[in-house]
Amino acid sequence: MIMRRFVLAAVAAAATMACSAQAQQQAYDCNMQSKDVSGFVGDRMFVGINPQENRGVVADRIILAVHGTPVEASIRKRNETVWKLQWFVKAEPTSSRASVNLIMRANFNSRSGRLIINGQISGADNVISAQAQCKPTSRDAIRRLRRN
């Protein structure tokens, strides 16, 4: 049931980027093929890119659990089909009162649909790494993502 809500909600999230050139906005549903063993990368990720405004949004189960909604990602064009994304997941303090924040970076090839993610947990030496294959989805997918 939660996965169903996640999927239905995901089909709308890219539109949260209220853009003037919505036709240029791109949304992708990414199936994680190589997951990180730390558990900081889920089975699915949704990526929205608005090249006109150099903005993006990202959502997965961890982002939704922490923030309840997709987070904004900074994007930078590397070439005609490859985008660099960066986003932050700011978690609540742990029992030791230390905050755990994730700093995530990705390269996304819009032609092949390949997403390569690398990240780091603040205050730790742990490295997060995963790969995904993405397919285009509705711009409305990411907008509907909310914590249920």
Side-chain angles (χ1 to χ4, degrees):
M1 184 67 149
I2 292 174
M3 181 53 91
R4 182 174 177 249
R5 286 184 195 158
F6 180 75
V7 171
L8 291 175
V11 180
T16 55
M17 295 188 294
C19 65
S20 57
Q22 283 191 343
Q24 296 299 318
Q25 187 173 330
Q26 304 156 13
Y28 299 89
D29 178 353
C30 304
N31 181 24
M32 304 310 292
Q33 297 172 335
S34 171
K35 291 183 279 184
D36 181 72
V37 295
S38 68
F40 285 104
V41 176
D43 295 335
R44 269 182 120 156
M45 180 170 284
F46 293 87
V47 177
I49 295 174
N50 183 337
Q52 297 294 327
E53 296 184 5
N54 284 329
R55 295 176 56 192
V57 292
V58 179
D60 67 4
R61 65 178 173 80
I62 293 181
I63 291 170
L64 295 178
V66 173
H67 293 281
T69 187
V71 296
E72 287 211 26
S74 63
I75 66 170
R76 185 170 53 95
K77 189 174 189 175
R78 291 189 66 195
N79 61 42
E80 287 305 309
T81 61
V82 179
W83 298 88
K84 286 186 76 102
L85 293 90
Q86 181 172 324
W87 66 95
F88 302 93
V89 180
K90 297 183 179 187
E92 295 295 319
T94 63
S95 58
S96 65
R97 296 187 184 200
S99 292
V100 176
N101 297 311
L102 304 177
I103 304 162
M104 305 296 285
R105 294 173 192 86
N107 284 322
F108 177 65
N109 185 318
S110 60
R111 181 178 302 155
S112 69
R114 186 168 182 185
L115 178 71
I116 300 172
I117 299 171
N118 290 297
Q120 185 174 4
I121 304 167
S122 65
D125 290 335
N126 301 28
V127 174
I128 301 164
S129 180
Q131 294 182 25
Q133 189 62 42
C134 307
K135 62 183 180 193
T137 189
S138 163
R139 290 189 306 260
D140 294 331
I142 301 170
R143 182 183 54 192
R144 288 194 302 258
L145 284 175
R146 297 289 183 265
R147 179 175 43 206
N148 293 316

